[in-house]
Amino acid sequence: MGDDYGYFGSGSSGYAHYQQTFKSCFGGSSGSDGGHHNNEPDWSNLLTLLKIGVLIVVPLYWTVTALHIAFYDLASIEPITVFIDLLGTPAFVYVVWGRILSLRG
């Protein structure tokens, strides 16, 4: 019973399949670190999502604000609208300008 590796089979063949799967999932333990992995978060995906959010949300917000001004009066705009415009506009310009510079090489 000691040489039964369940799904992978039994004996040396089962052990070989088990080890192969383990190494492909968790990597081989090279050196004396015991196979520890780097658990640092990858922030590039979060930054990409934030950039996409800025590129979509800010122009959409500008459109809604422009429609609100066109069909209502300017005095009815909430102070939060002014704050979002003051914060969103530089963020939008920064993201677009960074993208232009990265495409230039």
Side-chain angles (χ1 to χ4, degrees), residues 43-81:
W43 295 106
S44 62
N45 293 334
L46 178 62
L47 292 175
T48 302
L49 288 175
L50 286 174
K51 289 177 183 178
I52 290 170
V54 165
L55 290 174
I56 292 172
V57 171
V58 172
L60 182 64
Y61 194 79
W62 286 338
T63 304
V64 170
T65 303
L67 290 173
H68 182 83
I69 291 170
F71 293 106
Y72 298 102
D73 60 348
L74 185 59
S76 67
I77 291 183
E78 298 291 328
I80 190 69
T81 302

Side-chain angles (χ1 to χ4, degrees), residues 28-47:
S29 61
S30 60
S32 62
D33 65 350
H36 291 224
H37 299 284
N38 182 5
N39 290 328
E40 297 283 329
D42 181 16
W43 295 106
S44 62
N45 293 334
L46 178 62
L47 292 175

Side-chain angles (χ1 to χ4, degrees), residues 1-19:
M1 189 78 159
D3 63 346
D4 183 18
Y5 295 96
Y7 170 80
F8 302 104
S10 60
S12 59
S13 175
Y15 179 74
H17 287 106
Y18 168 77
Q19 284 290 45

Side-chain angles (χ1 to χ4, degrees), residues 54-55 58 62 82-98:
V54 165
L55 290 174
V58 172
W62 286 338
V82 176
F83 176 75
I84 291 174
D85 284 342
L86 289 175
L87 183 69
T89 303
F92 181 79
V93 170
Y94 175 77
V95 170
V96 171
W97 186 251

